[in-house]
Structures are given as structure tokens and as C-alpha cells.
Amino acid sequence: MRIRATVAAVSGTLALSALAVPAAHAGDEPVAPKASAAVADATEAVGAQRAVAGDIKVTDVTVNGGKDVTLGTSAKKKFTLTITASDPAGIELSSGYLWLGDDPDAPTGIITPATQAEYNPTCADVDDTTTTCTVNVTADPARLRNVGAGVRWNVFAAVTNKNEEQVTMDDLKSDIRLKRASRLTVNASPEPVKKGKTITVAGALTRANWDTKKYAGYTQQPVQLQFKKKGASSYSTVKTVKSDSKGNLKTTVKASVDGTFRYVFAGTSTTPAVTSAGDAIDVR
């Protein structure tokens, strides 16, 4: 873990401007985090002193309450980054953002607060030495690539104690994964159908492609075909069908009784589970 300790020659709120990293433009490489001019001037004013701030410790980092974040191709999603830190002098504030890649100075992906105002965290003291601060960050599919799905993002945190000493940590690990939103359809036909005749159950499994900003077929994935008899309270699995090279699903079953078919996908590390709507069949 790379830890940088500095003397904060500015107020805690202004010190947060060091976290105001510019967001990447859609279709461009992400912009590396940079300190604001205000913080640069303040650092120069104290002669770039190094503070002995080794007593500042981050004890917990939680993203979105520990739940995965699912995004489609266009809608932004706001979620929380919570940082708990401690110091014998007490903690003034903590804030941060998420980044992806091998080098925090040249990230391949970045998720920050959407506005300057949102860089200011909401903090609550746990006790005299420990404080939990929460900041809102916003993931924008326009600035995401498929490589960012299913992997652990890093967390950059800046923590300032009540002596105006600040420590930045750039490789804390998040506890969530970003996932590409999935869709699943079903269509059972013909309808009505005579008992004993063949029913064709078609459908399609698709997911968000963050590279193209469109939904595309999720290929060669096992999907369960389930059936619920009319009047029953639950579904049972009939068979497992694998999506084809375009994400399409198709199988046949024999008509027996009235009921409803649906497809169920269990999900993967990059794509969440999804269940189609039900399609009722009338057997005569």
C-alpha cells in the first residue's frame, strides 16, 4: 500500500479539493487524478513538509453497503463510499473515489463524485478517535469499459486528523464488483396447443456492452427453463438450455397442462442473475 503523509495547511473542507479528479471524457482514456491549484499552493506554502502521520489508520472501507453495482448502457448510478478511520487526535474527515488499473496516477477507469459539492463527506464519530465518513460517487456507463466488470476496484482515500495532518492511501480494496446489466425474454408457442403436441420455448439472453454502449447476446451460457402449473405457487426446472452464438434460446417440450414458462439465468462474475417474465400456455 502506498501511503503519503502531508501537513494540511488548509481547512479540512478545502483539503478535500485534492480529491476533485477530472472525469474521463466518453470514448477517451481516463484522466489521472490531480491535486487542485488550491492544495498545490498550500503545499508549497509549507515547503512541502512531510508529516509524521503514521497513527492515522483506515479500519474499514465499504462500497454500496457491500452490494454489487449493476449498470446498463446509459443510466448513471450513484452509490456510497464509506471510510472508517482512526487516530489518537481524532479524525476530521475522510473522502475518496474508486479507480481501476495498475497505476493510480494513470488509471484505466475512475468513479468519483458527480459534482464538486459531493466531494464533501457526511461524517459521524464512532468515538473520540474513530470516525466514519460517507461520500457519494457516481458510475457513468459512458466512462466504463467491459474490462471494469467483475473485478475488484481500488479505493483512493484521503484522511485528515484534527491536527490537520493528512494521509492518502491509493490501493485500498473495495468490497463490491461492477456488473453489466442483463436481460432475459421468453416466448412459448403455439397458443393454444393440443395436449401432447410440441411447444417451442424461445427467448434471448443479452447484457450491456460498455464498449459499444449497446445490449448484445450473452453467448454459450446455461439458462434454466422452468414451468409452473396453473394454480401452483412455485416453478420447477424442466431442463437447462445453452444460449447460442447470438444469445438466443430455443428448446421444445410436450404440452401437458395449462401453466407458465420462464427462463432463469444464475449470473456470472461479470453479469447479474436475471429471470424473464412468465409466458402462459393454454393446453386444450
Side-chain angles (χ1 to χ4, degrees):
M1 178 185 300
R2 297 201 307 176
I3 299 176
R4 301 183 181 94
T6 59
V7 173
V10 290
S11 70
T13 300
L14 183 56
L16 279 179
S17 60
L19 295 171
V21 297
H25 296 288
D28 295 338
E29 289 300 316
V31 179
K34 295 182 189 235
S36 70
V39 173
D41 292 344
T43 302
E44 183 178 356
V46 297
Q49 299 179 65
R50 306 293 289 180
V52 180
D55 289 334
I56 297 177
K57 295 181 175 64
V58 172
T59 58
D60 186 66
V61 174
T62 302
V63 181
N64 195 40
K67 298 178 181 179
D68 292 338
V69 177
T70 298
L71 293 107
T73 57
S74 59
K76 300 176 183 179
K77 184 164 290 187
K78 181 185 293 186
F79 52 96
T80 57
L81 166 59
T82 300
I83 301 168
T84 300
S86 65
D87 184 86
I91 298 296
E92 182 69 24
L93 53 84
S94 304
S95 193
Y97 57 84
L98 284 76
W99 65 275
L100 184 67
D102 298 322
D103 184 356
D105 295 322
T108 58
I110 196 164
I111 299 173
T112 69
T115 65
Q116 186 67 36
E118 289 181 350
Y119 278 95
N120 293 304
T122 300
C123 297
D125 291 336
V126 177
D127 52 40
D128 291 341
T129 63
T130 304
T131 299
T132 296
C133 295
T134 300
V135 62
N136 290 315
V137 296
T138 299
D140 183 355
R143 298 186 174 99
L144 292 176
R145 299 294 181 267
N146 290 339
V147 69
V151 297
R152 298 290 185 187
W153 284 62
N154 303 300
V155 173
F156 175 93
V159 183
T160 304
N161 67 14
K162 292 185 177 179
N163 290 334
E164 292 193 331
E165 297 166 336
Q166 185 181 79
V167 166
T168 61
M169 306 175 189
D170 55 32
D171 59 353
L172 299 169
K173 299 300 181 184
S174 69
D175 52 356
I176 61 100
R177 297 177 191 270
L178 268 63
K179 292 190 172 183
R180 297 160 58 181
S182 52
R183 296 173 175 173
L184 188 56
T185 62
V186 66
N187 181 38
S189 62
E191 187 186 0
V193 61
K194 291 184 178 181
K195 185 175 182 179
K197 295 296 183 178
T198 298
I199 297 173
T200 299
V201 187
L205 174 64
T206 57
R207 63 173 175 168
N209 186 319
W210 294 338
D211 293 341
T212 64
K213 313 308 176 190
K214 299 178 181 179
Y215 276 81
Y218 196 7
T219 66
Q220 302 301 308
Q221 296 300 310
V223 180
Q224 289 186 342
L225 174 65
Q226 296 185 343
F227 180 74
K228 181 175 70 174
K229 183 178 177 180
K230 186 176 181 179
S233 59
S234 61
Y235 283 85
S236 59
T237 299
V238 178
K239 62 173 71 174
T240 298
V241 183
K242 185 170 285 190
S243 59
D244 68 14
S245 60
K246 294 184 179 181
N248 294 320
L249 300 161
K250 188 175 182 180
T251 190
T252 59
V253 295
K254 293 294 183 182
S256 57
V257 295
D258 292 352
T260 302
F261 287 98
R262 72 179 185 184
Y263 277 121
V264 178
F265 174 58
T268 64
S269 63
T270 62
T271 309
V274 63
T275 299
S276 73
D279 189 21
I281 200 80
D282 179 14
V283 178
R284 297 181 178 178

